[in-house]
Structures are given as structure tokens and as C-alpha cells.
DNA sequence: TATGAATGAGGGTTCATTCAT
DNA sequence: TATGAATGAACCCTCATTCAT
């Protein structure tokens, strides 16, 4: 009889919560490596060290699984950012801390970022999910501006504010992409660069300086 | 299930160039509506009013077809932007015209934009293609800055410049997305908003003003 | 996807016989609602308020479970019918009582009937089971006729008798189906109708009247 | 080089209509042999001498395929029966011809009958389809009765008529099942037997004879 | 007794892609 | 040029069934 020399101690039965995290880890990894459609549930399951039916049992459909990834990564990110902001600091300090936390997160979770902000953008079912998350970010940024403006006795229409915030968030995402693609780049320096783009203009806006299109054009 | 309907009375035998444009039109439409993977060659062929083998004969693989779309749309966009910039104008005027052209293009080709900048981001095979195109844009923006800096006898390290340009391009893309999603928004106003974000800060940078992280942090 | 809800506070440790009946109740319900294949052991277990392994421990395989349902329902039905017939009554009275009992049973156990006579018919493994049960019914009906015929000094070949009985049973099943689908219908009236179909012809046959195909045809 | 001695002349590309019939033939065969769920699209495709995607392309989903079978078989059957009935004949002659045609059809298409009247009964999605077809049959039978009654200056309530017809149809189906299971049985004799069950009672009903439940019961 | 955890196996469905006409 | 016919290859998903506790 062939002796079965098993080196691995035969994986035990783990409680649901643990397995779910393992699955999400694997899913984020595979989704980010292959893209949503090219990723196969087989690969995810294998990578999680579990059989496919378990994935379905715990996290549902491939689409639902992807959304679960989205949510987990987004929640983590928002938590990181929220933890860094101190409402009592002056506006630029708050922005700086927020950005540092943001880029720090992206640098530490390049996979998660890829899932979150690259894959989700394309396909209709996720675009809305992503839009919702980005909206939260936009709101935070817009809120910061509004706060700073009021502190200076100034005010800007809500839509206007939102659009500016939208642009800044976009700039941030873009740099985050850049960061995710440059493994050697330091998150903190990236944050500084972003401040140079965002704050210098913002400070002007806060002081009431605006740019207007040339009249004759 | 294939419906057994007789197709349109047939405008047969068009010259190749025309057919190819029809196909690309259809492809852009379908890709933008469904996303790359959810789009089926069947739907594209049908929408182009042509049979599937023709699509393969003229434009090749689904992937190649998508890339063909990318190229056509990118070329159109670059052409539009390039046509708007006059190298003799002052920096802010050039930026303003470029942005106006850019948002005008996006407003007029929302489908194309969606294919170009949303779908392509996710899946590895296209990400590189897209990156190349964006690099060209970044280069243009960075070039503008460099030009303006030199005119003022100043200089910034190339990487630094690139990163800032990257951020601005990101902000622009973000607003373009916003524009693509708000059919009622006016491209020109969006361009103005973008100027307020980009130029006010940029002008500072051009004047040598920089933001630095607090020392004690 | 498995919902993570805590189940009912648990009426644990019931004696086996009780549990088995609960399971059979649930099984009959689910089988009749979904059909054999569409029914899942999960749903049955949940509906019985018990975990799946218990179902397997007590009633075995899905197929065995279905057969157990068949048997229980058939036994109940035969018991009901047998309890209604009094061998000393004249033939039409016996038939009438039997039918009344039969339709009464169907009306009271529409689920069970559905399992018994609708699901089982289709799939090979159960068709034989069902055939056996129906054979018992046919035999009873044929027996009644034979008895009545002999009482009149007449006789019919066994096969002939069986076929006629078979037809009558089919008519009964058909009306039972009709009854199962019309919740407002009264079992007793259905039985009367069945008598009008069955007995009027039967009485003729008992009296030696037969129908013959036209010679020239 | 191995010569490829192919005896079959390599199946040609057949027009859609032909292939569809081949597929339906195969489907009816497999469905009747295995039952709906146990039947696999693979087996059907193979049996039809074609690849699976063609089945999907032409006839759609497994469910749709089954329904297509139902419809084809039902249409054939109704055509056969309708072709046999001559409205000018007396009632019993019409019934006789109809039944002979019916049992003849079942005898000649045992597979089709099995699909039609056995499989469909169980699962919800098909039960309705089947019910509709059976309703047409019931209507025909009821119509015949109504016609004969009016010819005798008599009348019965529509529901009453329908229920009786329902029972007769059930009896017919039951004998058809019996016939399908007894390969050696002759359809014509079965039809004669059915007449003995159906007509003798029916004739009584037509003459106004009815059975009533005993008053004291 | 009772159950959460786990899986092998298989089926339906879709799609990009290519012949043969 | 143009297309209907045809397919190989995957992939998602489900389910009956069994351990290990």
C-alpha cells in the first residue's frame, strides 16, 4: 500500500468569517491581475485554497463577489482616510493629511486599488457602485472646501463646489494610478505633489480669485 | 435564439473604407453601451448591418477591433485638440483653448469617450494602449508648462513636471466623465471650471510658489 | 448565497418518528410546489426546520425521500378509500362511496396528490413505483366490476376488464387533477359527476350492452 | 500518412428548416427516454448529429426546446384528429373516428406522446402549456356533446359539459398511456374499448338519463 | 443527536471564430 | 464580396452528498 506522505497538515475547517476574508483576498488578487471577465471563479477558489461551491455559498455570484470586494476595499480606504482627518486643523492641514492617508492606502493596497478604481469603471453593473463610492469622496472634499470658505465668510454654489471637488478627486485618482504603476514611488511624495496641484489653486479660490474666459473669445 | 427574420433590403457592395467606418461606428456604440466583454460580435455585426464574417475579414479579432476603435477615437481627439492650440498664444490662453476643444470633443462623442477612457482602463491588454495615448496627452500638457516656465526663466525637473501634468490630465478626465454622464451640461462651462482648478494653481507654480509639508509632521 | 441568519430558537431533540413526519410533510410540500428535480434538498431541510444531514440520516437519498413520500401518500389514500367501501352494498353504491372517498382525499391533500400523480409520472425511476400503485387501484375497480358481473351471471375476459378499469381510473385521475386545480370546487359534486361518466356506461356494460365498430369501416 | 477512410460522406450543411426538424426529432426521443431533467443538451445535440451551439441558435433554451417539442407533437396530433372527424356524421361515428385517429397517433408516436402527456404534467413551467393543449381537446369533445345534445333538443350547463369532457379526455389519456406501454397492443382495439367506456355512458346522458346520489346518504 | 463546513461532478449557456457556399 | 451554417472551448453556477465536530 502506498503510504500517503502528506506534508500539509490537511487544511482544517475554518469558521465562516475567516474563510470569507480568505476568499475576498484571493478575489481581489485575481480580479486585479486578470480583470473582471478574464478572472475565473475556478482560479479565485483555487487561490483561496477552497472549492468553488464554497465561494458561491458564502459570497454569491461572481458579480456579487466583485461588489463585495469593492465594498471591502472602499470601506477600508474610507476608514483610513477618515482616521487621518482632524476637523480642528486648518483646511490645508486637513487636506494634506487626507491625501497622505489616501496615497498611503493606495501604495499599501495596489491590488485593491486596481479593483476599485480601474475595473469597476467600465462595466455598467459596477459603474454605479463605483459612482456611489466616489460620490462619498467628492462629498468629503467638497465639505472641506465649504467649511474653509465659510470660515472666510465666502460661499460658492453647491454644484460649482461639487464639480471642483470632482476634478480634484479625479486628479487624485490619476496620481494614485500612477503610483500603483510605479512600485518604487513613495506615497508621501506623491501626496506632496498632489498638494501642489490642488492646494495652490484651491487657496486662490478660497481667497476669491477666479479665472474667467477672455471676453472676446 | 436566432430569430428568423429577413434583414433589411440590403445596401450591398459598399467600398471597403465605408464599410469599415460603419463597423467602427457600430463597435464604438456597442462597446460603450455594454462594456468590452459584454459586447458580442453578433450585436456589433448586426448593428453595423453586416454579417459577422465581414467584421472579421475587415477588422480582425474582437480585441483588434476594440483597439481599432481606440485608435480612431484617440486620433480624432488629438486632432481636435491640436487644431485648437496656437503656440504663439500665452500659456493660459493655450490651456483654455485646449481644454475647450477637449471638452467639446467629449461632449460631441460621449460614446467614443466612454470606450476610450472607461473601458480600456480595466483589462490588461488595453491598459497599455490607453497608457500610451494618455502619455501623449500628458506630454502635451507638460510641454506647455515647460514652455511657460522657460519663458519665465524658471525650470522644474522633468519627472516633477510629468507628475503634475498627470494630475491635471486626471482632473480633466474626471470632469470629462462627469460631462459624459450629464447630457445637459455645457462643455464650455465645464472647461471654465477646469480652468479654475488647473490654472489658478498652475499660475502659482509658474511663479515659483510651492506648497511644502509642515516640518513637524 | 447562504444567508447568515440564525435559525429559529430550536425545538431540539424530537423523537425520530415525529421528525420523519415533519420531513415528509416538508418534502411533499416542496416536491409538489417545485417538481422533483427543481426541488432542492436544501429547501426541504429548511422547510422542515432541520439540517440537511438529518434528512439524509433519516430518509436517505433524494430519490428515496421522494419514494417515501409516494408511499405515505398512497397508503393514506388507499386507507381512506378502503375505509369507505362496504362489500355488501350493491355495485353502484360501492363505486359511489369509493369515489366520494377518493375525491375527498384529493381535495384534502392537494399537495400530496400532486406529488403522487403528477410528478411521478414523468421520470423513469418513479414511473414504475407509480404504476404499481395505480395497478392496485385498477385491481380494486376491476374487482368491483367482476363481482357485479358474476352477480349477474355474466363474465368478461380479465384483460378486457382491466383495460376498462384502467380507463375509469384515468378518468378519475383527470377529474382529480381538475379538482386539485380548482380550489373552490366541491369534492362531492366532482364525485357525482364522475359517477355520471362512469356508472351510466358501466351499468350498460353490466347489462351486456356493448358498442361495436361499424362493420363497413 | 494515415488515409482517412471515411464512410459517411461528411455531413453537409443543411438548411435551417431541415436541421430544426432533426433536432426536434432527437429532442423528443431523448426527452421521452430520460425525462426532461435527466436529458442533457449534449445528448440531444449528439443524437441530432450536430453540435450543441446549433441547438441553442435555432431552438433556444432547453426549456424552449421542450416547449417546441410539445407544440410540434400537439400540432401533429390535433391535425391527425381533426382530419379524421367528419362533422356530418352522427355523434357516435364522429367520436369513434376521433378516437381511432387519436390512438392511432399515439401508437405511431409513442415517444412524442410520452413527452407530451407525461413529462409536461409535472413541472410548473410546462404544466400550463400542457393544460392549454388539453383544454383544446376538452373543448372539441365538449363541442361534440353539445352538438349531439342540441340535435336531441336537450341542453347541459357549460361547466357540467366541460367536466364530463374532462373526465373522458382523462380516460383517453390513461388508455393512451397503457397503449404506449404495451408495444404489442393494437391501437384500433384500444379505441374500441374506449368507445365502450365512453359512448355507452354518453349515450345515456344524451338521452337524459342521469345518475343521482342516494338521498339518504 | 445534530450541524456547519466542504466538495465532486456535471449541466446549461455563451461566444469568438471559421468553413463552405 | 458576402453570408448562413457550424463548432470548440470555457465558464458560471447548482446540487446531492458527506465529513468532522
Amino acid at each position: 500500500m502506498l503510504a500517503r506522505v502528506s506534508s500539509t497538515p490537511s487544511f482544517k475547517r475554518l469558521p465562516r468569517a475567516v474563510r470569507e476574508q480568505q476568499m475576498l483576498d484571493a478575489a481581489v488578487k485575481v480580479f486585479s491581475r486578470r480583470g473582471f471577465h478574464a478572472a475565473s471563479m475556478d482560479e479565485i477558489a483555487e487561490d483561496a485554497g477552497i472549492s468553488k461551491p464554497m465561494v458561491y455559498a458564502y459570497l454569491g455570484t461572481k458579480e456579487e463577489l466583485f461588489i463585495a470586494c469593492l465594498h471591502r476595499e472602499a470601506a477600508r480606504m474610507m476608514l483610513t482616510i477618515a482616521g487621518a482627518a482632524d476637523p480642528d486643523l486648518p483646511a490645508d492641514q486637513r487636506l494634506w493629511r487626507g491625501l497622505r492617508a489616501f496615497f498611503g492606502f493606495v501604495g499599501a493596497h495596489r491590488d485593491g486599488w486596481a479593483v476599485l478604481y480601474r475595473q469597476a469603471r467600465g462595466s455598467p453593473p459596477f459603474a454605479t457602485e463605483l459612482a456611489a463610492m466616489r460620490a462619498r469622496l467628492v462629498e468629503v472634499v467638497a465639505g472641506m472646501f465649504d467649511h474653509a470658505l465659510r470660515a472666510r465668510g465666502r460661499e460658492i454654489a453647491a454644484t460649482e463646489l461639487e464639480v471642483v471637488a470632482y476634478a480634484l478627486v479625479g486628479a487624485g485618482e490619476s496620481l494614485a494610478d500612477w503610483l500603483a504603476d510605479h512600485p518604487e514611488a513613495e506615497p508621501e511624495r506623491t501626496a506632496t505633489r498632489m498638494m501642489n496641484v490642488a492646494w495652490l489653486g484651491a487657496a486662490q479660490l478660497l481667497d476669491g480669485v477666479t479665472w474667467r474666459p477672455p471676453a472676446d473669445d
Side-chain angles (χ1 to χ4, degrees), chain A:
Chain A
M1 179 170 65
L2 255 63
R4 203 187 325 180
V5 187
S6 75
S7 55
T8 39
S10 91
F11 276 179
K12 302 179 199 166
R13 311 207 147 195
L14 297 178
R16 177 173 183 151
V18 175
R19 273 278 134 88
E20 277 185 347
Q21 292 308 315
Q22 291 181 349
M23 290 175 191
L24 287 174
D25 290 342
V28 166
K29 193 161 124 196
V30 175
F31 280 138
S32 75
R33 184 165 34 214
R34 305 247 189 256
F36 176 75
H37 264 97
S40 87
M41 293 299 267
D42 277 289
E43 188 178 356
I44 291 171
E46 188 184 2
D47 197 296
I50 209 88
S51 75
K52 231 187 332 178
M54 285 306 292
V55 180
Y56 280 90
Y58 283 173
L59 272 344
T61 287
K62 187 184 185 184
E63 223 166 77
E64 289 167 337
L65 174 58
F66 187 82
I67 289 179
C69 291
L70 271 185
H71 283 151
R72 191 184 69 166
E73 299 302 316
R76 282 181 174 174
M77 190 179 92
M78 293 307 268
L79 224 69
T80 308
I81 294 176
D86 179 346
D88 295 334
L89 290 173
D92 66 329
Q93 292 295 320
R94 286 176 67 199
L95 187 56
W96 161 242
R97 302 239 171 148
L99 284 173
R100 217 175 38 174
F102 171 67
F103 286 107
F105 177 86
V106 171
H109 302 80
R110 300 178 195 239
D111 278 355
W113 170 261
V115 170
L116 219 53
Y117 274 84
R118 288 219 270 249
Q119 316 285 354
R121 208 169 289 204
S123 311
F126 309 129
T128 23
E129 285 285 332
L130 177 57
M133 297 172 188
R134 182 184 286 158
R136 272 159 38 208
L137 215 53
V138 166
E139 204 181 339
V140 169
V141 173
M144 263 167 63
F145 270 85
D146 195 42
H147 186 73
L149 279 168
R150 286 179 201 284
R152 266 151 246 229
R154 223 181 292 282
E155 208 169 339
I156 297 187
T159 352
E160 215 65 23
L161 215 66
E162 191 210 13
V163 174
V164 169
Y166 210 93
L168 287 180
V169 167
E173 288 173 14
S174 196
L175 283 193
D177 264 4
W178 183 87
L179 179 63
D181 287 343
H182 293 74
E184 76 292 352
E186 301 162 26
E188 183 130 357
R189 275 207 70 184
T190 312
T192 307
R193 279 153 178 162
M194 177 71 198
M195 274 304 278
N196 271 302
V197 174
W199 178 250
L200 293 182
Q204 300 277 81
L205 287 175
L206 290 179
D207 288 341
V209 184
T210 1
W211 181 91
R212 282 187 195 288
D216 60 286
D217 197 40

